Amino acid sequence: QVQLVESGGGLVQAGGSLRLSCAASGRTFSRYAMGWFRQAPGKEREFVAAITWNGGSTYYADSVKGRFTISRDNAKSTVSQQMNSLKPEDTAVYYCAARRGSSWYREWNDYDYWGQGTQVTVSS
């Protein structure tokens, strides 16, 4: 079982940057694939990025490629997402997610554990 807590959200202007962090509790964190999702009001939860359990591979939604970077530190049981060149359409609640597995996953129902979310608002 894994518990996740996101932090780092806030209000930024378009073109700015934020770094989100997700702190995980659980002694088997290193064996979990991790992902970031986001959800804006009235929209479904959207895949943003994923990283394999060993951090060897990362995957991104087309909408964030080249702007967002997902990383993890298994020793610290954290996963992060650096978000650069933010756009107003990036505004959403961002969620950290985890599941046991050696692959990567992009569907929300592929994940077993979720954080509470952190709000990111990008103004024009």
Side-chain angles (χ1 to χ4, degrees), residues 4-72:
L4 307 172
V5 180
E6 304 96 333
S7 62
L11 174 64
V12 298
Q13 296 187 68
S17 299
L18 283 174
R19 185 175 179 86
L20 305 182
S21 295
C22 175
S25 62
R27 55 186 172 87
T28 59
F29 174 79
S30 63
R31 298 298 178 179
Y32 284 80
M34 303 295 297
W36 284 98
F37 289 75
R38 65 188 182 186
Q39 188 167 25
K43 299 180 66 177
E44 295 183 355
R45 194 162 297 186
E46 175 189 22
F47 169 77
V48 176
I51 188 167
T52 51
W53 70 270
N54 62 359
S57 299
T58 57
Y59 306 89
Y60 301 93
D62 288 342
S63 59
V64 305
K65 286 181 179 178
R67 300 188 298 119
F68 291 11
T69 303
I70 187 172
S71 61
R72 69 189 296 161

Side-chain angles (χ1 to χ4, degrees), residues 103-124:
S103 187
W104 68 279
Y105 311 90
R106 64 176 299 148
E107 300 296 332
W108 69 268
N109 57 1
D110 286 330
Y111 289 85
D112 302 306
Y113 305 101
W114 293 86
Q116 83 288 352
T118 185
Q119 177 71 47
V120 172
T121 302
V122 184
S123 65
S124 60

